Amino acid sequence: MISAETIRITTIVENSTAAGNVQAEWGISVFIEAGESCFLLDTGTTDMVVRNADRLGLDLDKAEALILSHGHYDHTGGLEAVLQRIRRSELRIVAHPDVFSRKYSYRKEKDVHRYAGIPFCRDRLESLGAHFELGTGPVWLTGDIAASGEEPMTTDFEAVAENLRLKQDGKFVQDPMADDQSLYIRTDLGLVIILGCAHRGMINIIRHARKLMDTERVYMVIGGTHLGPASKRQVDMTVEALREMDVAWLGVSHCTGLPVAARLAREFEGRFFFNSAGTVLRFPYTEH
Ligand SMILES: [Fe+2]
Ligand SMILES: [Fe+2]
């Protein structure tokens, strides 16, 4: 397993910012350097990913693959800018085939469906050098780093948000978010799990990570938890499960939302941090 001391994880884009020269936008993008390997998870909403990477002194060209956590615009919107920036002729992109499905979010108050999917067509991205590796199962990026593939839903308290829809044959249907995936790293300190939006439930994801990576100890979970729009019951049960799983560090972002993040900060005092744009994680992690 990989020595955690060789890992550096930098959040390039997030809803809030932790560094003066780095900007915030709705979305997430995370740069993972682990020993000799380097990966990018998601691209935020706009070309901010490229501008923030410059400000953080990160060379996006070093990423040997881009992993897309799912097809929503706030994770895929910076794709064009990333492809235009890299100097190589091709970029390997690991994703689920459903990243290209027509995704919408339903606004009950206005009774409208707003397009929330990937804002580019596949041809356009391929013309810029995207080399899509689409599949439903886990992808081992190194011996200790995996893109999760489809996350099984095994808890009885986590559900995909009801307002997420797909347009199929002219009709809106519930989106099962089969494309939701996370990044798992097996380190000597335990698992480091990086969530995109955790649409299929962060506890389902942690359970899957433990099984796939054959490691019980969870050292850190960062990224979007989608607990912001979740029911109170789901949040309560999630807190209980996180406690039971004894997660050492929790660094929530993005679709967690401030009220739930504030609650988690209180519940997990001393092992909680806000993972914002410009946050640089080194291991073992110490609060700063
Ligand atoms: Fe999402
Ligand atoms: Fe999101």
Side-chain angles (χ1 to χ4, degrees), residues 70 72 74-75 177 197 199:
H70 61 299
H72 283 151
D74 50 334
H75 300 252
M177 293 302 304
C197 262
H199 283 295

Side-chain angles (χ1 to χ4, degrees), residues 86-283:
I86 57 157
R87 300 179 293 277
R88 275 168 298 158
S89 56
E90 239 182 40
L91 177 65
R92 177 185 178 202
I93 303 181
V94 175
H96 188 283
D98 288 5
V99 292
F100 288 107
S101 56
R102 311 316 289 161
K103 292 174 177 292
Y104 288 77
S105 74
Y106 175 63
R107 296 285 176 93
K108 205 175 173 186
E109 344 59 85
K110 293 184 180 162
D111 192 25
V112 290
H113 285 85
R114 192 187 68 160
Y115 183 70
I118 188 166
F120 311 107
C121 65
R122 186 172 172 174
D123 285 355
R124 164 77 183 147
L125 297 170
E126 284 175 340
S127 75
L128 292 170
H131 179 78
F132 284 101
E133 201 178 296
L134 302 179
T136 57
V139 174
W140 289 90
L141 300 161
T142 74
D144 291 304
I145 305 180
S148 69
E150 283 185 17
E151 296 141 340
M153 299 190 69
T154 56
T155 65
D156 62 3
F157 57 88
E158 293 176 306
V160 174
E162 195 272 328
N163 72 318
L164 299 176
R165 310 274 169 89
L166 286 179
K167 200 172 190 179
Q168 277 174 351
D169 307 321
K171 280 200 193 112
F172 290 106
V173 296
Q174 167 84 49
D175 186 349
M177 293 302 304
D179 48 330
D180 191 73
Q181 68 170 339
S182 310
L183 200 74
Y184 305 156
I185 310 174
R186 181 168 44 203
T187 82
D188 54 352
L189 294 175
L191 294 174
V192 174
I193 299 173
I194 309 174
L195 309 168
C197 262
H199 283 295
R200 287 168 72 95
M202 74 183 293
I203 304 303
N204 284 326
I205 294 168
I206 298 171
R207 283 184 176 181
H208 181 239
R210 279 175 150 180
K211 207 166 161 189
L212 183 72
M213 309 305 276
D214 196 21
T215 305
E216 274 293 289
R217 169 102 176 122
V218 182
Y219 185 71
M220 184 181 281
V221 182
I222 64 166
T225 65
H226 220 72
L227 288 172
S231 66
K232 183 172 180 304
R233 177 174 179 265
Q234 182 174 337
V235 178
D236 290 345
M237 301 288 277
T238 299
V239 168
E240 207 172 292
L242 287 171
R243 207 163 267 143
E244 197 189 303
M245 289 167 150
D246 198 22
V247 174
W249 284 103
L250 194 58
V252 299
S253 312
H254 184 43
C255 44
T256 306
L258 287 179
V260 174
R263 173 164 176 203
L264 294 173
R266 203 170 59 240
E267 302 267 8
F268 295 95
E269 203 185 334
R271 44 184 178 149
F272 174 94
F273 59 95
F274 288 98
N275 190 68
S276 311
T279 298
V280 181
L281 303 173
R282 287 198 171 276
F283 300 84

